[in-house]
Amino acid sequence: GDSVTQTEGLVTLTEGLPVMLNCTYQTIYSNPFLFWYVQHLNESPRLLLKSFTDNKRTEHQGFHATLHKSSSSFHLQKSSAQLSDSALYYCALSDNTGGLSGKLTFGEGTQVTVIS
Amino acid sequence: GGIITQTPKFLIGQEGQKLTLKCQQNFNHDTMYWYRQDSGKGLRLIYYSITENDLQKGDLSEGYDASREKKSSFSLTVTSAQKNEMAVFLCASSEGNTGQLYFGEGSKLTVL
């Protein structure tokens, strides 16, 4: 079946420094959708970024990610971390094909804490 | 915009008890999901449904039942609550084209 790997479970970094969260995936589908969801404390997860286009950078709220099918990766980056970026980040994969709703497979999540 | 409403927000039950969580969405989405969230284990899919009266098992379906009697609602039943399944249960629905999920606020289960 599909799988998503997030190698960092916990990340602590200083405000103003760059952020990079790793995400790699395995799937039999040639056109997967990849997502990053963010969950702040006591809130539900919400979409941060999504992509299905190979080698195209997608950006939102200062974060960016590029889907690289050659390496099965969708790493999340931000040039300068803010205190408000402290949250749980999930990478997810959809096996959506043919216009039907696909179920998502989530990674285990990366807990990010930004300190001043 | 739409909203997903989960009830109850907090559910306390006894070990062995049958407990039900409810979820309503007004997005008019076809597909709905139940995920379980445990600290350090991410989001694990319990059941999903692609249309009214459809049920599909996820990776964690054992010990749970689900029901989709209407397009707008999706309920989850813990058939016999165990202390090791205290967790937050998240309901979600998805857009047809991309699978992007919209989540409810979660229901926290405590088993005494």
Side-chain angles (χ1 to χ4, degrees):
Chain A
D2 295 340
S3 66
V4 175
T5 301
Q6 294 179 246
T7 51
E8 307 97 355
L10 293 168
V11 170
T12 302
L13 58 134
T14 304
E15 189 178 17
L17 291 183
V19 182
M20 179 162 165
L21 306 183
N22 289 311
C23 173
T24 56
Y25 64 89
Q26 287 187 314
T27 181
I28 61 171
Y29 295 96
S30 57
N31 294 305
F33 284 75
L34 271 294
F35 304 82
W36 276 100
Y37 282 82
V38 59
Q39 185 177 21
H40 287 93
L41 190 63
N42 296 323
E43 296 182 6
S44 55
R46 61 173 177 82
L47 180 68
L48 180 60
L49 290 172
K50 63 182 179 183
S51 180
F52 61 91
T53 306
D54 198 13
N55 297 318
K56 181 179 177 182
R57 174 170 161 146
T58 183
E59 299 189 34
H60 186 61
Q61 296 184 334
F63 288 90
H64 63 91
T66 303
L67 175 59
H68 292 296
K69 292 185 181 180
S70 59
S71 57
S72 299
S73 66
F74 191 56
H75 306 318
L76 181 69
Q77 299 182 66
K78 188 176 185 183
S79 58
S80 176
Q82 298 176 294
L83 294 175
S84 58
D85 295 329
S86 296
L88 182 56
Y89 292 81
Y90 288 108
C91 184
L93 164 74
S94 169
D95 64 356
N96 188 59
T97 57
L100 298 174
S101 291
K103 69 181 181 73
L104 265 69
T105 299
F106 284 86
E108 292 189 352
T110 299
Q111 180 67 52
V112 173
T113 303
V114 181
I115 59 176
S116 58
Chain B
I3 191 168
I4 296 179
T5 303
Q6 292 186 231
T7 55
K9 289 190 79 170
F10 300 95
L11 182 58
I12 300 174
Q14 301 288 331
E15 199 165 18
Q17 192 176 358
K18 186 174 176 181
L19 301 167
T20 297
L21 304 171
K22 294 185 185 293
C23 177
Q24 296 269 345
Q25 54 101 357
N26 63 359
F27 286 99
N28 200 34
H29 287 160
D30 288 318
T31 307
M32 296 185 73
Y33 309 79
W34 277 107
Y35 282 90
R36 174 174 158 168
Q37 184 174 36
D38 296 277
S39 177
K41 292 186 180 178
L43 297 169
R44 293 183 289 174
L45 183 63
I46 305 172
Y47 268 97
Y48 69 108
S49 166
I50 62 174
T51 189
E52 187 177 321
N53 293 318
D54 174 74
L55 291 176
Q56 308 280 341
K57 290 184 178 181
D59 301 322
L60 205 64
S61 60
E62 190 167 334
Y64 301 93
D65 285 329
S67 174
R68 183 93 182 272
E69 294 176 351
K70 294 191 298 184
K71 184 177 182 177
S72 61
S73 67
F74 193 31
S75 61
L76 180 73
T77 297
V78 182
T79 55
S80 177
Q82 303 298 314
K83 287 193 176 179
N84 64 1
E85 67 190 329
M86 292 194 290
V88 174
F89 292 82
L90 289 165
C91 177
S93 67
S94 67
E95 293 182 328
N97 292 334
T98 67
Q100 176 182 338
L101 298 187
Y102 296 83
F103 285 90
E105 292 191 344
S107 297
K108 186 170 183 179
L109 173 64
T110 301
V111 182
L112 302 176

